Structures are given as structure tokens and as C-alpha cells.
Amino acid sequence: MGRYLDAGPLTPSPSEAHGLLCGLICGGDPHALESWLGQVAPRPEAGATLAAEGRAALRQCGLAIEREFQGPESLIRLPSPAEDAAPLGERALRLYDWIRGFLYAFGLVGRSEADLSEQVREILRDLTTLTRMDLDTLEETEDNEQALAELIEFVRVAAMLIHHECAVVRLPTRGGPAPSTDQETDPG
């Protein structure tokens, strides 16, 4: 997968590419997969074969990610410290990359800050703060393992909350924008 991402315009890491698609989906981009492919798939200049193979492989990966959002409850899978034998710093870097990709893509969707709830604005501020983590001094300790596990869970839940507010609750209807869930409808 890495060679396909390296031939695309953004050259993201796999974690960053995953975060990019999740950010587009959570932000409510109606064409998230195509928007994502435009950002990460190999360009024709990389060679016709590589471009075609890469686009097909990335499309399959993207469809799998999209399916995680289509169940009764959205599910965002992030790397779990318990499931991965990689060093702590490497796993923290993957989370960092995922968050950067997510924030970049969410910004591409173009949602106005005024259209976001205070909770989502706070989550986005928290995620931005996490991109300032100092990964160079991260030591392999049990406390840091626990902290990373907690951060992964926070990011996963935060993304699901954003998805619920920006992509699920506020889906446009045929008659116009979705009604706000914060106000009761006046029957009179």
C-alpha cells in the first residue's frame, strides 16, 4: 500500500491516509471516497500500470473503511497498543499521523466553525493539541503505554462524535437542511 501512497500527490503514511478518509467521512463529504482517492491515489505520471493498480487497491481499502461507518453504530478502528508489537514511539507516531490526516481532511470539507457545536469545536481543539505531542522523548514505560491506550480511545470516540454530528444527524433532506436536534419542533 505504501508504494501507491508514495506515488500520490500527498504521499501520506498509511495511518495518515486512513485519517484522511475518516476526516472526509466524519465531516460529511458526500463523495468522501472519490475526494480521498484524488488526494492519495497515484497520478498518471507515476505510470499507467502503477496508477491503475494503486487506484484499484486504494479504492478497495477505502470501501472497507467506509463500510465501518455504515453499520448501526459507526465504528472507527485505530491501532490498539495491545494488538501491536511495534515500539511505543512508532505507535504514537501512527496516532499522530492519523490525527493530522483527519484534521486536514475535515478542513477540506469546509465546514464553518459557526455550524459546529461547542462540543465538536472543543474536540477539534483537543485533536489539534495532540498534534503538538513531543514524540522524540517518549519512553517505553507502562505509564506511557496506558496513556497511549487512553489517547487512542479518546481519538476514536471523538471521531465518532464528530461523525454523528456532522455526517449522520445533519444529513440534508430532500426539502432542505436537516432540522436541528437541539430545538423542539413547534406544532403550532
Side-chain angles (χ1 to χ4, degrees):
M1 197 65 62
R3 78 182 185 123
Y4 300 136
L5 293 173
D6 288 343
L10 292 182
T11 65
S13 71
S15 294
E16 194 171 13
H18 187 278
L20 279 161
L21 182 52
C22 290
L24 291 168
I25 293 168
C26 290
D29 183 331
H31 308 288
L33 182 59
E34 290 307 314
S35 297
W36 179 70
L37 288 170
Q39 296 287 322
V40 301
R43 295 284 191 210
E45 303 84 52
T49 302
L50 180 66
E53 286 175 4
R55 191 167 188 83
L58 290 167
R59 178 177 297 283
Q60 289 306 310
C61 180
L63 288 169
I65 293 167
E66 278 189 329
R67 278 191 295 275
E68 293 178 352
F69 287 90
Q70 294 169 352
E73 288 188 29
S74 301
L75 179 63
I76 298 172
R77 296 182 196 274
L78 296 175
S80 168
E83 296 174 1
D84 197 343
L88 180 69
E90 200 175 301
R91 288 178 280 133
L93 180 60
R94 281 190 228 148
L95 178 63
Y96 170 83
D97 282 351
W98 190 95
I99 295 168
R100 284 184 23 181
F102 182 89
L103 290 172
Y104 172 77
F106 191 83
L108 288 177
V109 175
R111 289 200 169 270
S112 165
E113 192 171 314
D115 293 336
L116 303 174
S117 70
E118 179 55 38
Q119 180 183 26
V120 169
R121 288 193 303 266
E122 183 177 337
I123 288 169
L124 293 171
R125 284 190 297 270
D126 290 345
L127 291 175
T128 301
T129 298
L130 288 175
T131 64
R132 296 184 195 116
M133 289 187 288
D134 182 8
L135 302 177
D136 294 331
T137 60
L138 192 60
E139 296 179 20
E140 297 267 349
T141 66
E142 187 60 37
D143 287 345
N144 285 342
E145 285 284 348
Q146 181 63 34
L148 181 59
E150 290 172 8
L151 282 177
I152 289 171
E153 184 61 15
F154 167 77
V155 170
R156 189 183 70 75
V157 170
M160 289 185 335
L161 288 169
I162 291 171
H163 177 255
H164 181 73
E165 179 174 314
C166 296
V168 175
V169 172
R170 298 187 189 260
L171 285 174
T173 61
R174 290 183 195 168
S180 172
T181 57
D182 298 332
Q183 301 172 355
E184 293 183 4
T185 306
D186 183 9

